[in-house]
Amino acid sequence: MLIPSHNLPLFGQRILITAPRAYGARLSEKIIHQGGLSFLMPTIETCFIEDYKPLDFALNNIAQYNWIAFTSRHGIEAFFERLNTLKIPRYFLKNCQLCAIGKDAEKLLEFTDVITIIPRESSPQGIVEELAKIPDIQNQSILLPVPLVVGIPEPDIVPNFVLALQKLPLNVTRVPVYLTRALTRDLYQLELSLLRLGKFDILAFSSTAEIESFLRMVDSPMDYQKCAIACFGPYTAAQAEKLGLTVDICAENFSSFDGFVDAMIKWLKSD
């Protein structure tokens, strides 16, 4: 890119990213392309689960499910990695219809040729709305590969998803496929000191779990009062408000991080 950095819309903006490493790296790249200065401070991490028994049972009985609904890219990767570890051929999924959200569909297409539902609204609720349109959906079986959350309260996204599916009604099985774990403040003494000094312009959250863990790292709202709060979509923004944050930036297009960065740019232009 040959455009001078001072002509880019996020020039000079120091943006603190709390997403897990893989997601944070993707968001960071998009911020840098728009002239921003990105700093990574993952407040949570995603990793392998220790107990595979529930997942292995579901995979070994995969033919009993009519649907599999993925809520994250990590869920897709962990699901198919375990499928390969167990040496279960992918054609065993032939009777299962698959659902994925937003850009996660691109990851799912690395493992399969057909995705039945990619909802217009890039959220679990979007999947529910699409399933509700299907005749004779009642009492079909759906598998939800989701994270096991440790160290912080589980965000209500997945529990609400389960309840909404049960109201259709569907027979819902949720199974942990990876771990979402809170990280500790000990890792980030430098970043937290800079935050208290007001050295960051925007604090970017992509999930409720990140916010929950972040709030355990700071001493008080005074620590981040000089930052604009940015949230990746209305669901994360709503949870942020419930947790006491004032949200300044909310991505209207939350199917990809492009929409998140666009929201930051729009906010700066209106400021």
Side-chain angles (χ1 to χ4, degrees):
M1 184 181 293
L2 299 179
I3 301 172
S5 58
H6 65 266
N7 288 339
L8 295 171
L10 290 180
F11 174 70
Q13 292 295 305
R14 290 176 169 81
I15 301 171
L16 188 61
I17 298 169
T18 60
R21 292 189 306 271
Y23 286 172
R26 287 168 46 220
L27 177 56
S28 175
E29 181 180 10
K30 294 184 182 299
I31 288 169
I32 291 168
H33 284 170
Q34 297 297 334
L37 302 170
S38 59
F39 298 82
L40 301 184
M41 190 182 81
T43 59
I44 59 174
E45 67 175 355
T46 53
C47 49
F48 294 114
I49 57 175
E50 296 178 0
D51 181 8
Y52 282 100
K53 290 178 183 177
L55 176 57
D56 290 353
F57 182 83
L59 293 176
N60 283 306
N61 294 275
I62 201 69
Q64 75 181 32
Y65 299 104
N66 305 106
W67 296 85
I68 304 173
F70 295 99
T71 60
S72 72
R73 181 177 295 246
H74 289 311
I76 294 167
E77 293 172 338
F79 178 91
F80 282 96
E81 181 164 337
R82 191 61 181 172
L83 198 72
N84 291 337
T85 298
L86 296 178
K87 302 187 185 308
I88 298 174
R90 292 180 194 173
Y91 68 75
F92 276 37
L93 302 177
K94 64 182 184 298
N95 294 324
C96 299
Q97 300 188 74
L98 307 182
C99 313
I101 295 170
K103 288 288 187 179
D104 293 348
E106 295 178 0
K107 173 57 67 175
L108 184 53
L109 286 171
E110 295 178 13
F111 302 101
T112 184
D113 296 327
V114 179
I115 303 175
T116 305
I117 291 178
I118 306 173
R120 182 184 299 273
E121 178 183 318
S122 298
S123 71
Q125 182 59 35
I127 293 177
V128 175
E129 291 171 0
E130 294 300 321
L131 287 169
K133 298 174 184 177
I134 299 173
D136 303 322
I137 192 68
Q138 293 82 7
N139 298 315
Q140 292 189 26
S141 296
I142 186 166
L143 179 66
L144 306 184
V146 296
L148 174 65
V149 181
V150 176
I152 51 174
E154 180 183 31
D156 62 11
I157 295 293
V158 171
N160 287 346
F161 187 29
V162 171
L163 289 174
L165 291 169
Q166 289 172 336
K167 288 178 180 178
L168 287 181
L170 288 173
N171 298 314
V172 182
T173 299
R174 60 174 290 177
V175 60
V177 292
Y178 67 96
L179 191 69
T180 293
R181 178 166 54 203
L183 295 174
T184 67
R185 63 185 292 167
D186 297 341
L187 289 168
Y188 300 123
Q189 292 305 309
L190 175 59
E191 291 84 355
L192 291 170
S193 294
L194 292 172
L195 182 66
R196 286 190 289 270
L197 291 171
K199 298 301 183 181
F200 298 111
D201 302 293
I202 298 173
L203 183 53
F205 296 111
S206 68
S207 73
T208 305
E210 295 166 32
I211 301 171
E212 291 271 14
S213 185
F214 170 80
L215 292 175
R216 284 161 171 72
M217 293 183 177
V218 297
D219 296 319
S220 77
M222 297 291 290
D223 288 356
Y224 52 88
Q225 65 174 346
K226 297 179 182 179
C227 282
I229 303 297
C231 289
F232 185 39
Y235 292 94
T236 302
Q239 293 303 311
E241 296 279 359
K242 285 183 181 179
L243 291 168
L245 302 182
T246 300
V247 177
D248 303 287
I249 303 164
C250 178
E252 297 175 4
N253 172 12
F254 48 100
S255 63
S256 73
F257 282 145
D258 291 313
F260 199 9
V261 174
D262 288 343
M264 297 179 197
I265 294 170
K266 181 178 179 181
W267 178 78
L268 283 169
K269 289 180 177 178
S270 64
D271 190 23

